[in-house]
Amino acid sequence: MKRISKWMSLVLRHKPELINLEIDSRGWASTVDLIAGLNTQGLETDMETVVRVVEENEKQRFAFNEDKSRICANQGHSIMVTPDLDEAEPPELLFHGTAGQFLEAIRAEGLVRKERHHVHLSKDKATAMLVGGRKGKPVLLAIDAHNMYKDGFVFYLSRNGVWLTDHVPPDYITER
């Protein structure tokens, strides 16, 4: 299951061409085509398996349309898509986990989306620390989301509860 989930993230967010998957401008793909493409990679995937991956994924990275004929990644794309996101007013504080080696750049530039469409923020410290620990010893950053929002920055809340914004300037970041 984990291998299938990783492949789904890869092709739905970054490299659909690896399995000749067509993704529309909103990030949606045919579930049947996804399954067929994964099978070309020797992953022995069927609809039941994909449903389990979507439903059991801790981070809720994927979503189906109503009849499960289409599937998308909720966020994190490096390919050109315009995900279905609604603007939302964030809570007072949001959190971002990072590895210590990135702090100098963050202090200078803030949080930058780089190849992704948005900077990803968490509503809770634990999630942020898990994310931050993927590339080294995690460091927790608190984001003054309330004042960013008051100052005109736009926030989105993805279907799986991840907060998104285009950039977090250094003045809104506090190391915890």
Side-chain angles (χ1 to χ4, degrees), residues 17 20 22 31 53 58 72 76 85 93-94 96 142 149 171 173 175:
E17 67 275 7
N20 295 316
E22 287 188 34
T31 306
V53 168
E58 283 183 11
C72 71
L85 297 170
L93 284 179
L94 289 170
H96 183 84
Y149 184 77
D171 293 346
I173 301 171
E175 294 172 36

Side-chain angles (χ1 to χ4, degrees), residues 89-90 144-155 172:
E89 183 173 349
D144 184 359
H146 174 73
N147 280 323
M148 279 184 67
Y149 184 77
K150 278 181 32 184
D151 292 344
F153 288 85
V154 176
F155 286 83
Y172 296 99

